[in-house]
Amino acid sequence: MKRETVIVLDFGGQYNQLIARRVRECNVYCEVHPYNLSLEKIRAMNPKGIIFTGGPNSVYGKDAVLCGKEIFDLGIPILGICYGAQAMAHLLGGRVTTAPVSEYGKTEVEVDRSAAIFAGVSEKTICWMSHTDYIESAPEDFRVTAHTPVCPVAAMECPERGLYAVQFHPEVMHTVEGMTMLRSFVLNICGCKGDWKMDSFVETTIQAVRDKVGNGKVLCALSGGVDSSVAAVLLAKAVGKQLTCVFVDHGLLRKNEGDEVEAVFGPAGPYDLNFIRVNAQERFYQKLAGITEPEQKRKLIGEEFIRVFEEEAKKIGAVDFLVQGTIYPDVIESGLEKSAVIKSHHNVGGLPDCVDFKEIIEPLRMLFKDEVRKAGRELGIPEHLVSRQPFPGPGLGVRIIGEVTAEKVRIVQDADYIYREELAKAGIDKELGQYFAALTNMRSVGVMGDERTYDYAVALRAVSTSDFMTAEAAQLPWEVLEIVTNRIVNEVKGVNRVLYDCTGKPPATIEFE
């Protein structure tokens, strides 16, 4: 199906996926590619626009990552953001140098409202800055369209060549009118119609899966979470009984979750699926014994998942394809060319080098979380499944700081169950993007029943977010936190202290590890 596309060229920025997500909010399809994508491939994609991301390097340094100047002659509108703005200036003859005063955080920017990208934007607007270099002077033929007291070129444009640049990050929620700016670029400057819809994705993906699989057998990694559930139902609609869903209970699920997953997808559930449950709790605990480093835990869990699937595939016989519920944030956070690896996801960066399947199918690979939910609704999956709390593939393994043991799993399961139960009772669970309890590696002195205790501290996490790329710590009512705290320290053996995480994303991630 022919569709309008905007491409994001990644110079190593951590907001690359968020830029793509914001473009999709304009109902325009968007993909992220490495900064050095060839001109031939760009022409073949026929994008309506190109966006350069931020990045950690200096454009004049020895580690600079730069594209060729020829890209500016393609006749395609380009928007440079932060490092991308500096790269544009540097390549076209402007001057980029170390800023006398670095800017970080919410900054008032004065803009020229006659500039195309600032149509409808306030003359003074709050934007998110994050830079130590700055554009000291714009290239010839560019005009400066925004500034701050310490940043002379906060934005610039050369409309004749379709080139635009901003020093700040319009994609993050902290830039108050950022979406207005991005819409102006995507819809007005690039001329996109904004007609990309989720129903077309479901229809074309089902057909593409049928074409790929043919008469082959498919094994689906089913965790019971939103992503794998949508992937399973999508594959079931595409290939029917050629699909077998394998649910691995690795002992790192939320309390009672293994039985809940089986109730939905097993023989008594509403879906006509070949379903196999593998109880592998002790196997995973043994693998994780003594392991404390987060990346190592993730990769060990990911590899063990694959090994279990391989074993089940051999029992089924001649399985050709493995299906996973990988989504776009997983792909990008696990490292895209020059992007820094934030964390490896068990179904992307955690894959072993050798996997005993003909091919891995990831039908949701290019979707963000809210888009996965839309696809689930389009597939007719019940709302209570589609709107479930996100849960990481490595499960509680990344919500337990330090070594994972059966006892620690029991503690965090019980604490998390109480937390979720009380938020539901208070009627605020639906207002939150994600919430859970995690077990810290900290033990502290307490007093219970007039006796000294030396037990663990549980950390509670709750965030408000629309896309899971950025998030704010939720301001939960104190009386609710008080009830949760009292219940946890009284009902969960091994805990004598409860903390609340007030950190947003960035600088933190939503999960602890």
Side-chain angles (χ1 to χ4, degrees):
M1 184 184 108
K2 190 175 180 181
R3 62 190 173 199
E4 296 176 327
T5 300
V6 169
I7 62 173
V8 172
L9 294 187
D10 177 31
F11 288 83
Q14 299 295 0
Y15 296 144
N16 45 22
Q17 55 188 303
L18 183 55
I19 297 171
R21 182 64 197 92
R22 296 298 185 229
V23 173
R24 292 190 189 185
E25 285 181 16
C26 301
N27 291 323
V28 175
Y29 184 72
C30 185
E31 293 181 0
V32 180
H33 292 277
Y35 74 95
N36 55 359
L37 186 69
S38 70
L39 294 182
E40 291 74 18
K41 289 182 179 178
I42 292 175
R43 289 192 187 98
M45 295 176 70
N46 192 29
K48 299 282 285 187
I50 298 171
I51 300 177
F52 292 174
T53 74
N57 305 102
S58 292
V59 295
Y60 52 81
K62 63 179 182 180
D63 296 324
V65 290
L66 297 168
C67 56
K69 288 194 288 188
E70 299 80 8
I71 194 170
F72 301 113
D73 298 322
L74 291 174
I76 301 169
I78 299 176
L79 171 63
I81 294 176
C82 196
Y83 178 92
Q86 295 169 10
M88 183 183 293
H90 178 74
L91 289 167
L92 294 176
R95 177 171 169 76
V96 179
T97 187
T98 303
V101 179
S102 298
E103 287 181 305
Y104 183 82
K106 295 178 181 179
T107 305
E108 185 176 78
V109 178
E110 190 169 338
V111 307
D112 181 346
R113 300 179 68 198
S114 69
I117 203 165
F118 295 131
V121 173
S122 306
E123 185 176 347
K124 292 184 177 180
T125 185
I126 299 298
C127 301
W128 182 263
M129 289 283 194
S130 180
H131 66 101
T132 53
D133 289 344
Y134 76 157
I135 301 169
E136 185 175 81
S137 58
E140 189 178 348
D141 298 330
F142 277 75
R143 76 180 183 106
V144 176
T145 57
H147 66 274
T148 74
V150 297
C151 184
V153 187
M156 63 182 189
E157 69 174 14
C158 181
E160 297 77 14
R161 300 181 66 183
L163 304 180
Y164 304 82
V166 293
Q167 180 60 68
F168 51 84
H169 289 272
E171 69 275 19
V172 303
M173 66 176 68
H174 309 300
T175 298
V176 177
E177 298 177 274
M179 272 307 297
T180 300
M181 302 172 197
L182 289 173
R183 283 194 193 96
S184 290
F185 177 72
V186 172
L187 302 179
N188 300 335
I189 294 170
C190 298
C192 294
K193 297 184 182 69
D195 55 3
W196 183 65
K197 299 287 190 288
M198 189 53 59
D199 55 354
S200 59
F201 167 83
V202 170
E203 181 182 337
T204 55
T205 302
I206 287 174
Q207 188 56 52
V209 168
R210 283 178 184 151
D211 294 342
K212 178 184 285 288
V213 171
N215 296 321
K217 287 186 177 181
V218 185
L219 186 64
C220 179
L222 178 62
S223 70
V226 175
D227 304 333
S228 68
S229 297
V230 172
V233 175
L234 193 150
L235 264 292
K237 287 184 178 291
V239 299
K241 284 293 190 177
Q242 293 168 245
L243 171 69
T244 298
C245 290
V246 175
F247 167 55
V248 177
D249 187 344
H250 51 20
L252 302 170
L253 298 172
R254 289 168 286 203
K255 189 171 183 177
N256 303 327
E257 194 160 32
D259 294 338
E260 291 170 2
V261 170
E262 185 170 3
V264 173
F265 290 98
Y271 301 106
D272 187 20
L273 296 173
N274 295 318
F275 178 84
I276 297 172
R277 177 174 178 175
V278 182
N279 292 312
Q281 295 92 333
E282 290 304 318
R283 176 171 172 172
F284 278 84
Y285 294 159
Q286 288 174 14
K287 279 282 182 181
L288 291 167
I291 306 300
T292 60
E293 204 279 318
E295 277 294 283
Q296 193 175 0
K297 285 199 287 187
R298 283 179 172 273
K299 292 188 176 184
L300 277 172
I301 294 169
E303 180 166 350
E304 201 62 18
F305 256 97
I306 294 297
R307 296 303 167 228
V308 173
F309 290 140
E310 286 178 334
E311 292 168 13
E312 293 304 316
K314 287 173 183 174
K315 295 175 187 176
I316 298 166
V319 171
D320 303 292
F321 300 94
L322 171 65
V323 173
Q324 296 188 134
T326 308
I327 65 174
Y328 210 22
D330 300 342
V331 175
I332 299 176
E333 288 191 347
S334 292
L336 174 71
E337 295 291 329
K338 286 287 183 177
S339 295
V341 175
I342 300 171
K343 55 190 177 183
S344 293
H345 292 260
H346 81 281
N347 50 352
V348 187
L351 282 175
D353 294 330
C354 179
V355 181
D356 191 18
F357 297 99
K358 177 181 174 182
E359 192 173 343
I360 294 176
I361 297 176
E362 297 170 320
L364 311 178
R365 187 180 179 87
M366 301 308 292
L367 299 188
F368 291 94
K369 177 68 74 174
D370 57 327
E371 294 173 326
V372 173
R373 296 189 198 279
K374 288 179 184 176
R377 295 182 183 103
E378 186 68 26
L379 287 162
I381 299 175
E383 184 61 31
H384 72 276
L385 288 181
V386 173
S387 59
R388 285 189 73 183
Q389 274 279 299
F391 192 63
L396 299 180
V398 294
R399 293 181 181 175
I400 295 172
I401 309 302
E403 182 182 16
V404 176
T405 66
E407 175 63 9
K408 287 182 178 180
V409 170
R410 192 270 307 164
I411 291 173
V412 76
Q413 281 180 335
D414 289 347
D416 182 72
Y417 185 84
I418 290 169
Y419 186 36
R420 289 186 288 124
E421 185 176 61
E422 290 300 331
L423 289 184
K425 282 182 186 177
I428 56 179
D429 55 324
K430 297 295 190 294
E431 303 169 9
L432 302 171
Q434 193 168 350
Y435 53 93
F436 57 87
L439 183 62
T440 75
N441 204 25
M442 181 184 83
R443 300 180 73 184
S444 64
V445 174
V447 178
M448 297 180 74
D450 295 326
E451 292 188 4
R452 178 186 184 276
T453 62
Y454 190 62
D455 288 328
Y456 285 106
V458 163
L460 304 179
R461 182 84 160 132
V463 299
S464 300
T465 179
S466 60
D467 49 39
F468 296 87
M469 303 302 100
T470 61
E472 297 282 357
Q475 297 183 32
L476 297 184
W478 180 254
E479 56 270 22
V480 175
L481 287 174
E482 191 173 35
I483 292 170
V484 172
T485 298
N486 287 337
R487 283 197 61 192
I488 289 175
V489 296
N490 282 292
E491 297 176 30
V492 182
K493 185 180 178 182
V495 177
N496 67 358
R497 196 176 295 266
V498 176
L499 314 172
Y500 186 69
D501 185 351
C502 299
T503 321
K505 176 186 180 180
T509 56
I510 294 176
E511 295 292 342
F512 275 62
E513 293 189 338

